[in-house]
């Protein structure tokens, strides 16, 4: 008979989990594996609330396995290390992002692209190689193979830096891969949420000219004065969109609602690239003529490998880039999820786990 | 008052034109400009029938100006060159493709990408610098600025080489641009028509393994035995598609009908590229999850610049690549269009202009 979550493993753990597709989270006792030879055990300090967490607790993508403890923007302190661990010692400040295991043998893993390994194990809602379900960072401790643990730079605040572990790498990786790093080039960022606001900051750090593309005019002031965007384009204004035709070298599309790609494609110059990092539930409308007439492309990207995630953290530390966050207590998570569903947050909730997760 | 087509220019010309959206072509007297100092004038010998010609004679894209003489896969022999022409002489075998003009001053033109110049002038149905409408290659003579003329190497047959001027460059350019030309790569070609069959030949010559992806099982034998494809996949067969998941570095999609992209994206390896060269009228559905999960991309491409068109012709000559054609007399052209609509051709009609287009004058 299968063991209960509490009895599965030797180390007691406590967190908040959703039990059904209402998505409502509540206290949950479970357990973590023993610290293996290659593992580190981490006391969790902060965990970002990613929009994926919301999709998953409500089973919007159809593959949730309840009970689910979400959270893949984890920052904490090492409390134990396995005997073969080389990169970390007790007391180190570390991060854990979206993946906690991969096969380590395939071409993708060999190229430091663990995120594209067909056998990637996600930080939560996956089955680990030992057959146990993975539980995420809305909890007090986590045990992870050191390979998948990031060194968290000292000068990055652990609360405002937590969202970089998913939002940060999700926009940084395609910027490197698709060459969106040339100073002076023009980047459009569609959507100003968790992903979008970090994309603006990283884009500016690369020396790009950045235009925020959004449906909400009221985000303009903040986009320009606080986030440092160079300009703001209201996508629902046909005249403004027309004036911006053929002006952008690239667009990072962070929007997860269903939206047509035609208008965004028209903003791109010849050879322009539209990169999707949002995850709409349904397919998007793609007109082919403009792709051919302008030799444009639509590409996708999904987080990044471990090596690149570390590179991203170090880059952000160097440039003083963190997320704009609203710190919340664990007990407020359900309200936060409701607000997130209405995009009522500037721009990421972060759970103060260590100070508010009490049994 | 605008002059009639016959009187517009000093040199008489004769061709077949469509007069209305029925798309039916019939004899048409018109005129060509005198050979300007940078122009090359040539006697047209053959002209390929591109599917775009069919779209245009019927005004399916809404941009047609009647009377319309189609044809942008034009080959022939030079009869006159202007005083400043440097690269051609009388008697040379030459061709003209989809463009006859561009601005020559923008970034795209500077980078040999005249096809992406915002002021690019199409070979037919477009307004030329002198304000007159351009007429295409279903006609006895052609006059073009030498910049837009390509030399046809001696060993390339003119009739079977004509379709390369549009179909050839349309698939050659993206194979190069998207890096799908490295020996050992695996590229899929969707659709086995004018574009598709030439794509197979070019890719094989580049050392690439080719899988033809088609809805018609009856094209398999020809694809493998005649065109040299390495394998054949029936796109409606779930088992075949499943077995080929994640095996292709790239796919060249030549299909212009509406069709689902999801199965094609699934065939790509991680970081694979789906390149659209067919032009469906309505938008297609792009499933985003699989694009993200494999860092894949969907790109487009449209013909190619003049430098690359010449490079493509020379590559074809070197590797003995020509189109598979059905040569027809000009008065068969309306029947050919009907058959083209039903994709009843292996794989391009080419009009024998030199021998069958005779003016009644």
């Amino acid at each position: 008979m299968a063991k209960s979550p509490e009895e599965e493993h030797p180390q007691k753990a406590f967190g908040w989990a959703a039990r059904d597709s209402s998505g409502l989270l509540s206290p949950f006792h479970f357990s973590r594996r023993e610290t293996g030879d290659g593992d580190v055990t981490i006391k969790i300090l902060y965990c970002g609330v990613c929009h994926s967490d919301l999709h998953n607790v409500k089973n919007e993508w159809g593959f949730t396995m309840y009970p689910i403890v979400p959270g893949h923007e984890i920052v904490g302190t090492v409390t134990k290390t396995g005997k073969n661990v080389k990169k970390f010692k007790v007391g180190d400040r570390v991060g854990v992002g979206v993946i906690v295991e991969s096969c380590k043998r395939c071409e993708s893993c060999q190229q430091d692209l663990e995120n594209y390994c067909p056998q990637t194990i996600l930080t939560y809602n996956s089955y680990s190689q030992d057959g146990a379900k993975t539980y995420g960072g809305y909890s007090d401790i986590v045990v992870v193979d050191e390979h998948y643990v990031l060194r968290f730079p000292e000068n990055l605040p652990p609360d405002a830096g937590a969202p970089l572990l998913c939002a940060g790498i999700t926009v940084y990786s395609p910027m490197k891969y698709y060459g969106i790093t040339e100073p002076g080039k023009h980047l459009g960022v569609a959507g100003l949420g968790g992903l979008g606001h970090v994309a603006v900051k990283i884009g500016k750090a690369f020396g790009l000219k950045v235009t925020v593309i959004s449906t909400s005019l009221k985000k303009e002031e903040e986009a320009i004065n606080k986030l440092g965007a160079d300009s703001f384009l209201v996508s629902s204004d046909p005249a403004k969109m027309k004036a911006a035709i053929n002006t952008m070298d690239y667009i990072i599309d962070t929007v997860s609602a269903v939206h047509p790609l035609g208008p965004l494609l028209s903003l791109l110059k010849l050879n322009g690239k539209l990169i999707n990092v949002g995850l709409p539930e349904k397919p998007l409308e793609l007109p082919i003529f403009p792709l051919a007439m302008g030799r444009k492309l639509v590409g996708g990207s999904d987080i990044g490998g471990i090596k690149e995630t570390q590179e991203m953290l170090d880059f952000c530390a160097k440039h003083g880039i963190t997320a704009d966050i609203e710190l919340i207590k664990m007990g407020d998570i359900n309200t936060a999820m409701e607000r997130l569903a209405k995009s009522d947050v500037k721009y990421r909730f972060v759970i103060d786990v260590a100070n508010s997760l009490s049994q | 008052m605008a002059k009639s087509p016959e009187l517009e220019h000093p040199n008489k010309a004769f061709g077949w034109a469509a007069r209305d959206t029925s798309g039916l072509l019939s004899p048409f007297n018109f005129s060509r400009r005198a050979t300007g100092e940078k122009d090359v004038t040539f006697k047209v010998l053959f002209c390929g029938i591109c599917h775009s010609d069919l779209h245009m004679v019927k005004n399916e894209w809404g941009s047609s100006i009647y009377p319309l003489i189609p044809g942008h896969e034009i080959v022939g022999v030079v009869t006159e060159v202007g005083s400043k022409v440097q690269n051609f002489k009388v008697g040379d075998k030459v061709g003209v493709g989809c463009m006859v003009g561009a601005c020559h001053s923008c970034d795209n033109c500077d980078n040999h990408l005249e096809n992406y110049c915002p002021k690019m002038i199409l070979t037919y149905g477009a307004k030329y610098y002198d304000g007159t409408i351009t007429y295409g290659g279903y006609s006895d003579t052609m006059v073009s600025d030498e910049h837009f003329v390509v030399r046809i190497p001696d060993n390339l047959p003119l009739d079977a080489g004509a379709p390369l001027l549009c179909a050839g460059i349309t698939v050659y350019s993206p194979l190069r641009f998207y890096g799908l030309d490295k020996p050992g790569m695996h590229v899929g070609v969707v659709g086995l028509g004018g574009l598709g069959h030439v794509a197979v030949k070019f890719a094989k010559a580049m050392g690439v393994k080719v899988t033809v992806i088609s809805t018609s099982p009856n094209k398999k034998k020809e694809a493998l035995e005649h065109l040299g494809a390495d394998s054949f996949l029936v796109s409606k067969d779930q088992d075949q598609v499943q077995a080929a998941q994640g095996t292709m570095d790239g796919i060249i999609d030549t299909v212009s009908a509406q069709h689902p992209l999801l199965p094609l994206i699934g065939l790509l390896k991680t970081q694979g590229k789906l390149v659209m060269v067919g032009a469906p009228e309505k938008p297609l559905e792009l499933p985003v999850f699989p694009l993200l999960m494999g860092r894949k991309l969907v790109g487009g491409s449209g013909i190619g610049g003049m430098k690359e068109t010449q490079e493509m012709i020379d590559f074809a000559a070197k590797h003995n690549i020509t189109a598979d054609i059905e040569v027809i007399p000009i008065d068969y052209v309306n029947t050919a269009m009907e058959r083209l609509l039903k994709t009843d051709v292996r794989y391009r009609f080419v009009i024998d202009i030199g021998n069958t287009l005779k003016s009644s004058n």
Side-chain angles (χ1 to χ4, degrees):
Chain A
M1 194 180 84
K3 288 189 171 168
S4 74
E6 273 193 84
E7 292 162 342
E8 250 181 329
H9 298 292
Q11 296 200 71
K12 282 201 185 324
F14 174 67
W16 276 47
R19 263 86 163 168
D20 56 47
S21 58
S22 70
L24 288 169
L25 294 128
S26 55
F28 175 67
H29 292 274
F30 65 110
S31 50
R32 297 284 190 192
R33 67 174 183 265
E34 197 55 76
T35 312
D37 293 343
D39 287 339
V40 299
T41 294
I42 301 164
K43 172 181 156 66
I44 296 176
L45 299 174
Y46 298 98
C47 187
V49 178
C50 177
H51 206 123
S52 305
D53 298 347
L54 176 53
H55 289 303
N56 275 307
V57 296
K58 294 194 165 193
N59 196 18
E60 282 172 4
W61 290 331
F63 48 74
T64 301
M65 298 174 288
Y66 295 105
I68 180 172
V69 175
H72 55 209
E73 295 178 339
I74 307 168
V75 179
T77 314
V78 176
T79 55
K80 282 187 230 174
T81 59
K83 67 179 179 21
N84 293 338
V85 166
K86 297 196 169 44
K87 289 173 15 188
F88 303 102
K89 57 186 191 310
V90 171
D92 280 350
R93 174 79 48 84
V94 293
V96 175
V98 183
I99 45 184
V100 290
E101 272 178 57
S102 63
C103 81
K104 294 187 179 167
R105 293 184 312 270
C106 69
E107 244 188 274
S108 292
C109 284
Q110 296 292 321
Q111 291 172 19
D112 298 313
L113 295 171
E114 299 89 345
N115 48 322
Y116 298 115
C117 166
Q119 289 169 17
T120 297
I121 311 285
L122 303 175
T123 302
Y124 66 84
N125 196 45
S126 266
Y127 275 98
S128 189
Q129 302 223 3
D130 59 10
K133 190 157 75 172
T134 54
Y135 295 111
Y138 294 16
S139 60
D140 54 0
I141 63 167
V142 69
V143 181
V144 183
D145 177 328
E146 71 162 331
H147 181 81
Y148 305 91
V149 176
L150 291 321
R151 194 178 10 84
F152 202 80
E154 295 218 352
N155 65 316
L156 264 187
D159 52 357
L164 296 174
L165 289 156
C166 179
I169 184 59
T170 296
V171 296
Y172 181 88
S173 185
M175 290 171 85
K176 296 300 293 281
Y177 181 66
Y178 289 100
I180 309 176
T181 54
E182 241 185 289
K185 296 271 179 164
H186 187 184
L187 167 68
V189 176
L192 198 62
L195 294 181
H197 90 291
V198 174
V200 173
K201 296 186 186 198
I202 294 181
K204 290 307 300 167
F206 278 129
L208 302 167
K209 173 180 163 184
V210 178
T211 295
V212 169
I213 305 160
S214 171
T215 48
S216 343
L217 183 54
K218 56 182 167 49
K219 293 188 178 182
E220 177 169 13
E221 206 258 326
E222 178 131 332
I224 298 193
N225 295 335
K226 185 147 185 290
L227 298 174
D230 297 279
S231 54
F232 190 92
L233 178 55
V234 180
S235 46
S236 44
D237 182 333
K240 297 250 159 67
M241 285 293 279
K242 192 161 179 215
I245 280 176
N246 199 25
T247 56
M248 298 181 193
D249 297 286
Y250 340 87
I251 294 174
I252 298 212
D253 185 357
T254 73
V255 176
S256 53
V258 170
H259 58 290
L261 296 177
L264 292 176
L265 283 175
S266 70
L267 299 173
L268 291 170
K269 298 174 182 172
L270 175 70
N271 297 335
K273 301 173 187 175
L274 171 56
I275 309 304
N276 281 106
V277 292
L279 284 167
E281 282 168 41
K282 295 190 169 49
L284 302 183
E285 216 179 68
L286 175 68
I288 305 298
F289 251 81
L291 276 191
M293 293 298 123
R295 197 158 64 177
K296 300 176 184 179
L297 65 87
V298 179
S301 184
D302 180 40
I303 44 167
I306 298 301
K307 184 171 175 216
E308 194 171 40
T309 306
Q310 187 67 64
E311 181 191 301
M312 176 277 306
L313 285 174
D314 297 337
F315 178 90
C316 288
K318 179 174 169 190
H319 292 273
I321 296 172
T322 54
D324 288 8
I325 66 167
E326 186 176 326
L327 200 58
I328 61 164
K329 298 194 190 6
M330 189 75 239
D332 295 327
I333 184 61
N334 290 313
T335 310
M337 288 288 198
E338 275 178 29
R339 286 179 52 199
L340 179 55
K342 293 179 282 186
S343 316
D344 174 23
V345 55
K346 285 194 168 94
Y347 290 94
R348 246 324 188 239
F349 289 112
V350 172
I351 307 169
D352 185 353
V353 176
N355 289 324
S356 68
L357 181 70
S358 48
Q359 309 220 14
Chain B
M1 195 179 84
K3 288 189 172 169
S4 74
E6 277 193 76
L7 301 172
E8 250 179 342
H9 297 293
N11 292 335
K12 282 196 187 330
F14 175 68
W16 277 44
R19 262 74 163 180
D20 56 45
T21 58
S22 70
L24 288 170
L25 295 130
S26 56
F28 177 67
N29 291 307
F30 67 112
S31 50
R32 294 279 188 197
R33 65 177 184 272
T35 310
E37 51 187 17
K38 290 194 191 164
D39 284 338
V40 170
T41 296
F42 61 97
K43 174 178 159 63
V44 178
L45 295 178
F46 296 98
C47 187
I49 299 184
C50 177
H51 205 124
S52 306
D53 298 347
L54 179 52
H55 289 304
M56 286 296 282
V57 296
K58 294 190 167 194
N59 196 19
E60 281 170 6
W61 292 331
S63 59
S64 301
I65 304 171
Y66 296 107
L68 181 101
I69 300 183
H72 55 208
E73 294 179 337
I74 318 169
V75 295
V77 175
V78 177
T79 54
E80 194 182 350
V81 297
S83 59
K84 290 194 174 158
V85 166
Q86 305 195 311
N87 299 321
F88 300 98
K89 60 186 190 310
V90 171
D92 280 352
K93 286 191 267 192
V94 295
V96 165
C98 304
M99 323 180 266
V100 289
C103 82
H104 299 301
S105 57
C106 68
D107 274 349
N108 295 332
C109 284
D110 285 344
N111 289 321
H112 305 291
L113 294 170
E114 299 89 346
N115 48 321
Y116 299 115
C117 167
K119 297 193 177 154
M120 184 268 285
I121 301 173
L122 296 172
T123 299
Y124 65 84
K127 203 187 244 190
Y128 201 61
Y129 308 116
D130 61 3
T132 62
I133 299 301
T134 54
Y135 292 114
Y138 296 17
S139 61
D140 56 0
T141 61
M142 188 66 199
V143 184
S144 168
D145 181 311
E146 76 163 322
H147 186 88
F148 297 93
V149 178
V150 290
R151 174 187 322 287
I152 309 288
D154 280 333
N155 69 312
L156 204 61
L158 287 181
D159 53 359
L164 297 176
L165 290 159
C166 178
I169 186 60
T170 296
V171 296
Y172 180 90
S173 187
L175 282 169
R176 291 291 192 211
F177 181 70
Y178 288 98
L180 298 175
D181 55 351
K182 314 278 179 289
M185 278 190 159
H186 181 191
V187 171
V189 175
V190 189
L192 202 60
L195 294 180
H197 90 289
V198 174
V200 173
K201 295 188 186 197
F202 274 130
K204 289 305 301 169
M206 292 167 180
V208 165
K209 172 181 162 183
V210 176
T211 294
V212 169
I213 302 158
S214 172
T215 49
S216 338
N218 56 12
K219 293 190 178 179
K220 180 174 180 176
K221 187 164 189 282
E222 175 120 341
L224 298 179
E225 291 175 21
H226 179 68
L227 296 173
D230 297 276
S231 53
F232 190 91
L233 180 56
V234 179
S235 46
K236 292 184 176 168
D237 182 327
Q238 305 270 36
D239 292 335
Q240 285 187 35
V241 170
Q242 188 57 34
Q245 289 287 286
T247 58
M248 300 181 192
D249 296 281
I251 293 174
I252 303 277
D253 186 350
T254 74
V255 175
S256 50
Q258 296 297 112
H259 60 289
L261 296 181
L262 179 60
L264 299 177
I265 293 172
L267 293 172
L268 293 169
K269 294 177 183 172
T270 299
Q271 294 171 155
K273 303 168 189 176
L274 171 57
V275 184
M276 313 299 292
V277 293
E281 276 170 47
K282 295 193 174 45
L284 300 183
E285 274 191 354
L286 178 70
V288 179
F289 251 82
L291 211 63
L292 262 67
M293 294 299 142
R295 193 155 70 174
K296 301 176 183 181
L297 65 86
V298 179
S301 184
I303 47 172
M306 291 317 301
K307 184 168 177 230
E308 194 172 36
T309 304
Q310 185 68 67
E311 178 191 301
M312 176 277 304
I313 291 280
D314 295 340
F315 180 90
K318 180 175 168 187
H319 294 274
N320 292 312
I321 294 169
T322 54
D324 288 9
I325 64 171
E326 184 177 327
V327 180
I328 60 156
I330 185 68
D331 52 19
Y332 191 75
V333 73
N334 290 312
T335 310
M337 289 288 195
E338 279 172 33
R339 285 179 52 197
L340 179 56
L341 190 54
K342 294 178 281 185
T343 57
D344 172 24
V345 55
R346 280 201 164 89
Y347 289 99
R348 242 341 184 229
F349 290 110
V350 171
I351 309 170
D352 184 352
I353 300 277
N355 289 321
T356 68
L357 182 73
K358 306 248 185 276
S359 161
S360 50
N361 294 350

